[in-house]
């Protein structure tokens, strides 16, 4: 069988299809230096890697309030502890408030890891310690409302606590009765009609977008610098 014969019908057309989350969820990219990538010639010295919300959504497999909340939390934290320079991987340590078994918290930690490089005990140890990220991300007690993360620079000690309260994002009470999770169950089970599915997706992605655009204080986020 030739390559053309073995290729699924319509695969070329589907290849360039734009999915709803790509259309409806966008955010400012996060630029972060990676000294290891520079040494290995992946990027020119001093140039940042660019991480987008599309990148983390692809890695997570979906765009949701937890994924967007983690992305925005990392963005706000890095902006605060690196006000005049690019953040640097291997110099960022993160404490995730809570237990990795808590619903949604593990995936949120994965988003933070994807952006900052900070990893747990399975992270890269570095070359003779250079560029290492292992044990840079831990779970523990971090005071704050909702989902809370502590970001700290290992070179200067500058630290900030970011709290994300998903309930503060709200839902439109006039759309789907204000019950997105109930509608999600109908969509997943296949009993929602086309109009219900479209309405659910519009509401879902609107909530994701509002999180990505939320200010650093007020709404779902609060930022507290650590002395």
């Amino acid at each position: 069988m030739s390559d053309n014969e073995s290729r699924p019908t319509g695969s070329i057309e589907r290849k360039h299809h734009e999915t709803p989350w790509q259309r409806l969820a966008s955010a400012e990219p996060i630029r972060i230096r990676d000294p290891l990538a520079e040494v290995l010639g992946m990027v020119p010295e001093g140039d940042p890697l660019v991480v987008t919300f599309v990148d983390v959504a692809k890695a997570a497999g979906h765009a949701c309030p937890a994924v967007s909340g983690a992305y925005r939390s990392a963005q706000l934290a890095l902006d605060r502890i690196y006000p005049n320079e690019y953040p640097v991987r291997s110099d960022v340590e993160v404490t995730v408030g809570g237990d990795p078994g808590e619903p949604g918290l593990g995936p949120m930690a994965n988003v933070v890891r994807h952006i900052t490089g900070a990893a747990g005990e399975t992270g890269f140890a570095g070359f003779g310690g250079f560029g290492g990220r292992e044990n840079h991300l831990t779970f523990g007690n971090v005071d704050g409302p909702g989902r809370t993360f502590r970001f700290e620079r290992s070179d200067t000690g500058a630290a900030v606590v970011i709290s994300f309260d998903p309930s503060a994002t709200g839902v439109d009470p006039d759309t789907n009765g204000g019950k997105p999770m109930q509608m999600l169950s109908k969509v997943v089970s296949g009993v929602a009609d086309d109009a219900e599915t479209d309405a659910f997706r519009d509401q879902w992605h609107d909530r994701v977008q509002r999180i990505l655009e939320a200010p650093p204080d007020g709404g779902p986020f609060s930022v507290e610098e650590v002395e």
Side-chain angles (χ1 to χ4, degrees):
M1 180 180 291
S2 69
D3 289 342
N4 287 338
E5 290 173 330
S6 63
R7 185 180 297 121
T9 302
S11 62
I12 295 177
E13 288 75 13
R14 288 196 299 269
K15 181 178 180 181
H16 299 291
H17 178 67
E18 188 179 52
T19 53
W21 61 265
Q22 287 174 312
R23 293 198 308 268
L24 300 177
S26 62
E28 286 295 316
I30 296 173
R31 293 173 170 82
I32 184 166
R33 283 188 55 204
D34 191 324
L36 184 60
E38 295 174 16
V39 166
L40 298 179
M42 182 176 172
V43 293
E45 183 175 353
D47 281 5
L49 300 176
V50 180
V51 183
T52 68
F53 182 68
V54 169
D55 293 331
V56 300
K58 285 180 178 179
H62 61 284
C64 70
V67 171
S68 56
Y71 182 93
R72 184 64 172 145
S73 293
Q75 186 175 52
L76 292 172
L78 295 176
D79 284 348
R80 188 63 65 93
I81 62 177
Y82 288 91
N84 301 308
E85 56 190 310
Y86 291 126
V88 180
R89 282 181 174 168
S90 74
D91 283 349
V92 179
E93 299 183 358
V94 181
T95 303
V96 182
D99 183 273
E102 294 181 33
L105 196 56
M108 293 183 76
N110 286 339
V111 171
V112 172
R113 173 178 177 168
H114 186 97
I115 296 167
T116 65
E121 60 183 12
T122 60
F124 179 58
F127 292 120
F130 179 81
R133 298 96 188 269
E134 68 174 343
N135 298 319
H136 279 35
L137 187 146
T138 57
F139 289 80
N141 294 322
V142 183
D143 292 333
R147 300 303 192 189
T148 307
F149 306 84
R150 186 182 191 275
F151 292 75
E152 180 174 346
R153 290 180 59 168
S154 59
D155 58 340
T156 67
V160 67
V161 171
I162 306 289
S163 296
F164 168 60
D165 181 4
S167 67
T169 61
V171 295
D172 182 354
D174 296 324
T175 305
N176 295 334
K179 300 178 180 178
M181 297 311 295
Q182 179 178 322
M183 284 304 304
L184 176 59
S185 297
K186 292 185 68 175
V187 173
V188 169
S189 64
V191 299
D193 61 30
D194 289 346
E196 290 174 320
T197 299
D198 288 344
F200 162 75
R201 288 174 176 169
D202 285 345
Q203 180 177 325
W204 185 268
H205 291 296
D206 175 70
R207 191 180 185 197
V208 168
Q209 188 65 58
R210 283 187 282 121
I211 292 170
L212 293 172
E213 295 174 347
D217 289 294
F221 294 99
S222 61
V223 182
E224 180 182 355
E225 291 190 11
V226 178
E227 298 296 335

